[in-house]
Amino acid sequence: MKILILVFLVGIYQVTAETHSLKYFVTESSQVPDFPEFVVVGMVDDVQIVHYDGNTTEAVPKQDWMKEVIDDDPEYFKRSTNIFIKEQQTFKDNIEVLKQRFNQTGDVHIYQVMYGCEWDDETDKVNGYRQYGYDGEDFIALDLKTETWIAAEPQAVFTKQKWDNDKARTAYLKYYHTQICPEWLKKYVNYGRSSLMRKDLPSVSLLQKTSSSPVTCHATGFYPDRADLFWRKDGEELYEDVDRGKILPNHDGTFQMSVDLKISSIAPEDWKKYDCVFQLSGVKDDIITKLDKSVIRTNEGNPLIMMIIPIVAAQVVLSVIAVVGFIVYKKRNCKRPPPSVENREVQEEMLPKA
């Protein structure tokens, strides 16, 4: 399929400063078919570094460079495993408490926490966050500036009151997210620098089903996924007559994305005013592809061309669940019942030592 790709590269790219992130996703689920009840995923710069689930009950590295952590700290994954095993029971208890809070029984339910930190490698500025969700809706979150909890649901008010009263733990959480977490993030970035800091520029092509169909600007093979792709006219970004697609993973760990431009109202003499722009985080120069009929690959001559995007897209759901192990369940057409009088407490889980 690479022979179908026409590339336009402009200049020599340069790497600039960027923000790095360390995130943990913890998911407890109830009655989700073919999915572990408890899953923990750790990610650095959106790259998975550690995985644990209730079926295997073992924390395992997901990147080769994470083995350097073991060299420096042989007990790292054993310690993480023990913490996750204890957390598993806490989360199992919590999801039962929440089902009572919302007057629910049975059915599919998901309780999650996302927490972590960000670090700007130029300014050294750090930022932390910690938020909980239930069945795809916000439940409660920590405001690090005020060291208080924000309840997003009436059912979370009791939890907010209990956690707000635990000043010592909240203070520790602030210390964890602004000191401990960033310190580990810097270590991880150093361990995986050659992989995490790499910048892969994409191949960019223009595709079209028929001569009257929208023109698709398709970029594939870029890394990391912090990128943007858009159409512009006379140097100004277009927001009308465009359809922007999502960033999708490729089988080799790189990414792809596309954006469509409706050309039905564009006069032939105005085509030269349009171009497609690809931007990659940390790379100074853009990749600019001119709207030119001579370089457009059409479906009329080769029916396989426009199948490139949907074939890969069809594999995304499986790859996201299999690799990331993190799902957000959004109930459809379901109104929650009024808050329960049940005041059992949602427990705070233990903290993984990054």
Side-chain angles (χ1 to χ4, degrees):
M1 291 184 181
K2 290 184 179 180
I3 62 174
L4 302 177
I5 304 300
L6 187 61
V7 185
F8 293 81
L9 300 181
V10 179
I12 300 176
Y13 67 93
Q14 300 177 1
V15 176
T16 60
E18 62 182 86
T19 299
H20 300 280
S21 65
L22 171 60
K23 303 175 185 176
Y24 285 94
F25 299 92
V26 185
T27 301
E28 173 69 27
S29 60
S30 172
Q31 299 186 26
V32 177
D34 303 318
F35 194 78
E37 288 187 355
F38 184 75
V39 177
V40 180
V41 171
M43 307 185 77
V44 171
D45 290 353
D46 297 322
V47 174
Q48 187 179 7
I49 62 168
V50 63
H51 176 91
Y52 171 93
D53 67 63
N55 292 345
T56 62
T57 63
E58 181 181 8
V60 294
K62 302 301 290 185
Q63 300 295 323
D64 289 339
W65 52 264
M66 279 294 289
K67 295 177 182 177
E68 295 185 35
V69 178
I70 302 176
D71 294 337
D72 293 343
D73 185 358
E75 298 296 312
Y76 175 89
F77 281 98
K78 181 179 180 181
R79 187 170 63 249
S80 296
T81 295
N82 291 335
I83 291 174
F84 295 147
I85 288 176
K86 293 177 181 178
E87 279 193 345
Q88 184 172 345
Q89 185 59 51
T90 299
F91 271 71
K92 186 174 183 179
D93 293 342
N94 282 345
I95 201 170
E96 292 302 318
V97 171
L98 290 172
K99 286 163 67 175
Q100 292 184 37
R101 290 267 187 95
F102 288 95
N103 290 335
Q104 299 167 332
T105 58
D107 203 359
V108 173
H109 299 287
I110 293 180
Y111 172 56
Q112 298 169 300
V113 58
M114 179 185 73
Y115 66 91
C117 57
E118 295 177 343
W119 162 60
D120 188 308
D121 63 9
E122 184 176 62
T123 66
D124 209 35
K125 182 180 179 180
V126 299
N127 179 47
Y129 43 86
R130 189 178 195 85
Q131 57 192 71
Y132 295 77
Y134 182 62
D135 285 353
E137 302 287 349
D138 292 338
F139 182 71
I140 194 170
L142 176 61
D143 185 332
L144 288 172
K145 292 182 179 179
T146 63
E147 296 185 43
T148 58
W149 293 89
I150 301 173
E153 295 275 7
Q155 292 87 343
V157 172
F158 183 72
T159 299
K160 166 185 166 55
Q161 294 171 346
K162 295 286 288 187
W163 289 2
D164 277 347
N165 289 333
D166 194 345
K167 301 294 184 182
R169 185 167 185 80
T170 302
Y172 175 75
L173 285 174
K174 182 174 183 178
Y175 176 73
Y176 171 83
H177 286 291
T178 59
Q179 299 293 327
I180 298 177
C181 181
E183 288 177 6
W184 274 98
L185 173 55
K186 294 174 184 179
K187 290 182 182 180
Y188 292 139
V189 170
N190 185 56
Y191 284 131
R193 182 168 297 276
S194 61
S195 174
L196 295 172
M197 301 294 283
R198 89 176 199 263
K199 308 292 180 182
D200 293 347
L201 293 178
S203 297
V204 180
S205 61
L206 300 182
L207 308 174
Q208 191 178 32
K209 292 182 179 180
T210 67
S211 58
S212 61
S213 301
V215 174
T216 297
C217 182
H218 182 228
T220 186
F222 60 88
Y223 184 92
D225 64 350
R226 295 184 293 278
D228 197 10
L229 185 69
F230 56 90
W231 283 99
R232 66 183 184 182
K233 178 184 179 183
D234 293 329
E236 296 292 330
E237 183 175 354
L238 291 174
Y239 298 97
E240 296 183 358
D241 295 327
V242 296
D243 185 12
R244 187 190 302 266
K246 296 180 179 180
I247 296 179
L248 305 174
N250 289 324
H251 64 85
D252 61 357
T254 62
F255 299 91
Q256 65 166 295
M257 65 187 307
S258 63
V259 58
D260 294 345
L261 172 67
K262 296 179 181 179
I263 61 170
S264 56
S265 60
I266 301 177
E269 61 270 18
D270 290 335
W271 277 45
K272 61 180 179 294
K273 299 179 181 180
Y274 293 79
D275 52 41
C276 177
V277 181
F278 175 85
Q279 297 176 337
L280 186 65
S281 175
V283 174
K284 181 179 180 180
D285 295 309
D286 302 337
I287 298 177
I288 301 175
T289 307
K290 291 290 184 180
L291 180 59
D292 186 344
K293 286 186 178 181
S294 65
V295 301
I296 295 176
R297 301 290 183 173
T298 69
N299 197 40
E300 294 171 337
N302 190 335
L304 292 177
I305 293 177
M306 294 308 293
M307 291 177 62
I308 296 174
I309 299 175
I311 286 176
V312 179
Q315 299 173 347
V316 171
V317 175
L318 291 177
S319 64
V320 169
I321 293 179
V323 176
V324 178
F326 175 68
I327 55 178
V328 176
Y329 175 77
K330 194 82 162 183
K331 285 193 170 184
R332 297 181 180 178
N333 303 319
C334 177
K335 294 184 178 180
R336 286 176 172 168
S340 169
V341 295
E342 174 63 56
N343 276 343
R344 287 181 58 197
E345 174 54 8
V346 175
Q347 303 177 61
E348 176 67 280
E349 75 284 354
M350 296 179 65
L351 281 174
K353 305 303 180 184

